[in-house]
Amino acid sequence: MVRNKFCFTVLREGKGTLVNVVAFVTDRQKAGTPFEGHWVSDVSREEFEEAFQNFESAAKNLIKCCENPTRWALHVVNELPLSTCDRVALIGDACHAMTPHLGAGGGHAIEDAFVLGRLLAHPLTTLDNVHVALETYQDIRLSVAQFTARKSEALGHMYEFNAPGYYDGTDRGNEGEELERLKEKIIEDRRGWEGEGGAVAGWLKAERKLQESIVIVERW
Ligand SMILES: Cc1cc2nc3c(=O)[nH]c(=O)nc-3n(C[C@H](O)[C@H](O)[C@H](O)COP(=O)(O)OP(=O)(O)OC[C@H]3O[C@@H](n4cnc5c(N)ncnc54)[C@H](O)[C@@H]3O)c2cc1C
């Protein structure tokens, strides 16, 4: 089953004259399989138009204005049990690449670097106990990023009307009502996620944990 989704954002750059068009073509049969071919490639305008030929004219007119469209493969890293081992740590997409439906992968890469960098630079961290700093980073950041990845994937399904219990494209004679409930669910889920602590709260938690762990290790 292939589902298409269309969205666009107006960038402030270029004094609001630039429109960034993002259009998704989802083939669920291919989820979880390795991607063959180039991760980013040029596509012709015809191919782009073809994929969205059943859309309303406003969307199709926007596609006609696109110069040099490119296709991006979407990759995810499924839940890793660890993000550190000995003195090695993974951050960002290498550790938790996620779908772009929450626009959060870049932010999480930055938050990983923020927390890890501060832990490594902390006066309590030494070469001998660097593994404690890395484990603290893992404890604080891994589950948060993986939670967001799950949320992003779930929202992606909902954006594409693949939301059993809300709306999944089946005609039950109450489409308007189902779409309204789906809209409310999406708004609620996005709001719930945006309320999560953030980078500074994550860092404060990490620093407390580092202090406790290093005191415990030294006493031991
Ligand atoms: C279509 C799309 C839309 C997105 N939209 C958003 C959004 O709106 N907001 C958001 O927050 N996130 C978004 N993301 C996700 C975001 O782009 C990534 O989460 C983010 O770029 C991850 O940063 P990173 O530094 O971990 O990895 P990357 O950005 O992939 O950086 C890794 C770098 O390492 C380099 N590299 C790889 N191998 C080697 C090597 N052997 N030696 C040296 N260098 C190497 C690569 O060339 C690359 O420059 C989107 C992603 C996609 C695909």
Side-chain angles (χ1 to χ4, degrees), residues 22 24 72-75 91-94 97-100 102-109:
V22 181
F24 291 83
W72 295 57
L74 298 182
H75 301 273
I91 67 171
D93 273 15
M98 58 187 80
T99 63
L102 258 179
H108 272 288

